[in-house]
Amino acid sequence: PSAKPDRDGRFVLDGVPPGRHWLRAQPPRGWTLASVLLDGRDVTDAAVDIESGRSRTGVVLVFTDKLTELNGTVTDANGTPMTEFTILAFSTDQDFWRVDSRQIATARPDQNGHYQIRGLPPGDYFVAAIDPANPGEWFDPAFLEQRRSEAQRVSLAEGDVKTTDLRLAAR
């Protein structure tokens, strides 16, 4: 279910089935979800148990316009732009290696080999150029484990803009 906040920023989600759920929100353009608080506890990256017949109150969604940005250029050993790869940024923390993790993002380079990934949560990341056989396989922990050794590391704080150029060796 989805809900639209009223003028005071309050919202109600009706019809949520019992079970474990992630609380997410679609922020306006240029903003990102900074945190989800439930009764003062940060549950941004944790599932919440919803029990049948019980209302949950005290949910606070916090947004920020201080987006992180990771950009750079992908080239071959001769400096020629590479456009056929996917750029993958993924958390160094394996706890975030799961489907729909906010700490995993991809981008495709443009015709000049330039890429941009905006809105990753602050943290430490691996960045690699990949050629996935199947879209979405980058959520598989085994796939990510194989990419760690060839990836570059980068740390992002709130609002950081970092450049990470990737030079691919001949294969």
Side-chain angles (χ1 to χ4, degrees):
S2 63
K4 190 169 182 119
D6 65 19
R7 290 179 171 256
D8 297 325
R10 298 182 192 285
F11 63 92
V12 174
L13 283 175
D14 288 321
V16 178
R20 295 183 61 76
H21 297 275
W22 300 91
L23 301 175
R24 292 287 180 262
Q26 183 63 45
R29 186 171 184 79
W31 291 74
T32 192
L33 181 65
S35 64
V36 178
L37 305 173
L38 176 61
D39 298 327
R41 184 173 55 97
D42 188 343
V43 296
T44 310
D45 295 304
V48 174
D49 286 318
I50 305 295
E51 299 169 10
S52 181
R54 180 171 179 238
S55 293
R56 297 297 301 251
T57 60
V59 175
V60 177
L61 303 171
V62 180
F63 299 94
T64 182
D65 61 353
K66 295 178 178 73
L67 276 70
T68 62
E69 180 180 313
L70 182 59
N71 65 58
T73 304
V74 185
T75 59
D76 66 12
N78 298 320
T80 304
M82 302 294 289
T83 60
E84 62 273 10
F85 289 87
T86 296
I87 307 311
L88 170 65
F90 60 103
S91 177
T92 60
D93 184 342
Q94 294 179 9
D95 288 344
F96 296 121
W97 294 5
R98 57 179 161 65
V99 173
D100 293 333
S101 172
R102 298 179 322 125
Q103 290 80 1
I104 299 175
T106 61
R108 294 288 302 199
D110 65 15
Q111 67 275 8
N112 298 314
H114 185 265
Y115 73 91
Q116 179 185 61
I117 298 173
R118 296 189 77 207
L120 284 167
D124 295 323
Y125 291 89
F126 292 116
V127 182
I130 61 170
D131 189 11
N134 301 305
E137 70 182 334
W138 44 79
F139 290 114
D140 178 3
F143 182 87
L144 296 175
E145 182 63 40
Q146 292 173 349
R147 301 308 176 278
R148 285 170 58 151
S149 64
E150 62 197 42
Q152 293 187 35
R153 286 183 74 129
V154 63
S155 291
L156 294 172
E158 185 179 61
D160 270 356
V161 175
K162 297 268 179 100
T163 299
T164 301
D165 293 326
L166 302 171
R167 183 162 286 210
L168 304 179
R171 293 185 178 195

